[in-house]
Amino acid sequence: MTRKKVKLAFITNDSARKATFKKRKKGLMKKVSELSTLCGIDACAIIYSPYESQPEVWPNTLGVQRVLAQFKRMPEMEQSKKMVNQESFIRQRIAKASEQLKKQHKENREKEMTEVMYQCLTGKWLQNLIMADLNDLGWILDQNLKEIYKRIESLKKMTPTQVAPPVAQPPPPPPPQVAAATSEMLARGVHGQEQKPAVESGNVEGMQRPQWYTEWMNNPNENLGFGHGDEMMMQFGDNHNAMWSSAFFP
Amino acid sequence: MAKKPSMGRQKIKIAKIKKKNHLQVTFSKRRSGLFKKASELCTLCGIDIAIVVFSPAGKVFSFGHPDVECIVDRFFTRNPRPNSSAFQLVEAHQSASIRELNLQLTQLLNELEDEKRRGESLDLMRKDSQKRFWWEAPIEKLELNELEQLRDSMEELKKKVTNQSNNILLEIKPPRMNTASSTTDIRSFGYCDGFF
């Protein structure tokens, strides 16, 4: 079975149209039959075509009469409530597709702004962010921060005796700070963690980083994907060998 | 926020479904698909059709072209397809609007497909980055001191974002009105309600 995408328009070629009709009609009847059996419900189909004087039906003439009689017995309102024709049906499909598109668009926007956020965290400040971008970026930051605070809370609850990392084991290097703010932060001693940017302090023994982090540190020249490797390297590269050599390359 | 992978297309036995939930979901999906196929058949081959389906709950769904009533009547009375010029005129109008709608639908479906693909590539990018930088890993995987560092970095970034927003707002804020038009003058004295 070839799976070429068929354009949703009247097939002008007569023989192609007839062939399509035969195939699709057969498939349609099969689907009605399956629906009826799988769900144990009554159904019927009537197809008038230019190729036959009599309509083609499912299940059979008697069966159709029975179902239609059942249909006609229902109150008018019930009959028309879920009744559609081409126009109304396609409109319904359009409405649904629009909804899905909106949702997908929103999801993609969130993903996009998450990328922007991570780029900014590595120090690259994107100058051409417009108001809408800044708003969304702020929102993404808020969402992430919410999760982080929650996680910090629960971790602190779980291990109350290990709240502060032992002095002998300094915290790992932070993500490279927003470039302009870094020196300010150091000067101000933000959050009272003087040891924070370990890049400057140089105490790095006893590190227990996840494996991939170790790998990254050992491969500083690996291509970093977003093209912001330069910023990254500027922050870490210079100090890299000097700082880590004692720990990793004794 | 990854989508749960669905089971994909499974071959099922054509017999009445045992579980009620499953049955209802199947009915809903297949009925929808059936109408979609019927609609496509109408468009592609220009035929008349009616489908009537009763739901497990006893409600009735029907699809018809040109409409269900017309086909049902035609079936019972054994009348041939109406051929009057009036009928043909109505039909021509209908066909035109249906053509329009189909075009609109096709365009939307294409856009949707594009956005989905974009989403998938963004997901891949994310997965890739998560492997490289420790602070990009999912939050559940981070240790306490890493979380605290990340929190601080994000708070800093947030401040920067807020600053930048304020800068932009200050830039576009209109200058104070001292060379205002007469309308604005009146407005500033609070007379505008009476006059306008």
Side-chain angles (χ1 to χ4, degrees), chain B residues 115-130:
Chain B
E115 281 299 309
K116 280 200 175 140
R117 260 183 283 137
R118 198 162 83 96
E120 280 167 18
S121 65
L122 282 167
D123 282 338
L124 277 172
M125 235 182 6
R126 186 96 300 276
K127 261 205 163 121
D128 230 33
S129 310
Q130 284 186 341

Side-chain angles (χ1 to χ4, degrees), chain B residues 8 36 44 51 56 65 75 90 108 132 142 151 166 181 185:
Chain B
K36 185 175 161 215
L44 292 170
I51 300 184
H65 178 73
F75 178 80
V90 170
L108 272 171
R132 295 186 219 263
L142 296 176
R151 170 200 63 198
N166 290 336
S181 65
D185 277 342

Side-chain angles (χ1 to χ4, degrees), chain A residues 5-11 17 21 24 28 31-32 34-35 37-39 41-50 64-65 67-68 70-72 74 78 82-87 89-91 93-94 98 100-101 104-105 108 110-112 115 117-118 120-121 125 131 134 137 141-142 144-145 147-149 151-152 155-156 163 171-178 185 191 196 209 212-213 216 222-224 226 232, chain B residues 1 12-17 23 27 30 34-56 58-66 68-69 71-72 74-76 97-98 101-102 104-105 108-113 115-116 118-119 122-123 125-126 129 131-136 139-140 144 146-158 160-161 164-165 168-169:
Chain A
K5 194 162 183 187
V6 180
K7 190 164 161 235
L8 202 59
F10 183 71
I11 300 172
R17 189 171 67 246
F21 173 73
R24 281 180 173 256
L28 194 68
K31 288 280 183 188
V32 183
E34 287 180 353
L35 179 61
T37 310
L38 285 169
C39 302
I41 50 98
D42 288 326
C44 73
I46 305 167
I47 302 182
Y48 286 96
S49 75
V64 171
Q65 284 172 351
V67 174
L68 289 183
Q70 197 181 343
F71 178 62
K72 283 291 183 186
M74 301 188 79
E78 281 302 312
K82 295 292 185 179
M83 188 187 286
V84 292
N85 59 13
Q86 270 281 64
E87 204 166 323
F89 185 66
I90 297 172
R91 279 187 205 280
R93 284 191 71 191
I94 286 172
S98 296
Q100 290 178 317
L101 184 61
Q104 189 66 47
H105 202 69
N108 288 355
E110 279 181 37
K111 289 175 187 172
E112 228 181 8
E115 296 301 325
M117 176 185 77
Y118 282 127
C120 291
L121 283 175
W125 178 251
M131 201 56 178
L134 290 168
L137 182 55
L141 279 163
D142 284 338
N144 277 275
L145 279 166
E147 241 194 286
I148 290 175
Y149 279 112
R151 182 80 183 146
I152 289 177
L155 280 181
K156 283 193 171 155
V163 168
Q177 299 299 344
V178 172
M185 278 182 61
H191 301 287
K196 207 159 67 145
R209 293 262 54 80
W212 39 260
Y213 176 70
W216 169 72
E222 201 180 65
N223 181 13
L224 293 173
F226 291 125
M232 274 281 303
Chain B
M1 236 200 279
I12 55 161
K13 193 167 158 225
I14 303 298
K16 183 161 178 195
I17 295 169
L23 191 149
F27 174 80
R30 277 183 175 253
L34 181 67
F35 281 18
K36 185 175 161 215
K37 289 276 184 191
S39 173
E40 287 176 356
L41 184 58
C42 286
T43 301
L44 292 170
C45 303
I47 46 91
D48 293 345
I49 186 173
I51 300 184
V52 177
V53 162
F54 282 88
S55 76
K59 304 284 177 202
V60 67
F61 293 77
S62 54
F63 173 93
H65 178 73
V68 175
E69 298 288 355
I71 301 292
V72 170
R74 205 193 303 178
F75 178 80
F76 278 131
S97 57
I98 289 170
L101 288 170
N102 270 324
Q104 202 183 340
L105 178 62
L108 272 171
L109 291 174
N110 286 337
E111 277 182 53
L112 185 59
E113 206 183 306
E115 281 299 309
K116 280 200 175 140
R118 198 162 83 96
L122 282 167
D123 282 338
M125 235 182 6
R126 186 96 300 276
S129 310
K131 293 196 191 120
R132 295 186 219 263
F133 312 121
W134 66 260
W135 61 88
E136 293 199 20
I139 287 170
E140 316 81 70
L144 184 61
E146 293 173 313
L147 284 168
E148 290 174 335
Q149 302 237 355
L150 187 55
R151 170 200 63 198
D152 296 340
S153 299
M154 283 192 177
E155 292 283 7
E156 274 306 306
L157 180 56
K158 219 187 137 196
K160 195 164 188 200
V161 168
Q164 184 73 347
S165 306
I168 293 179
L169 284 172

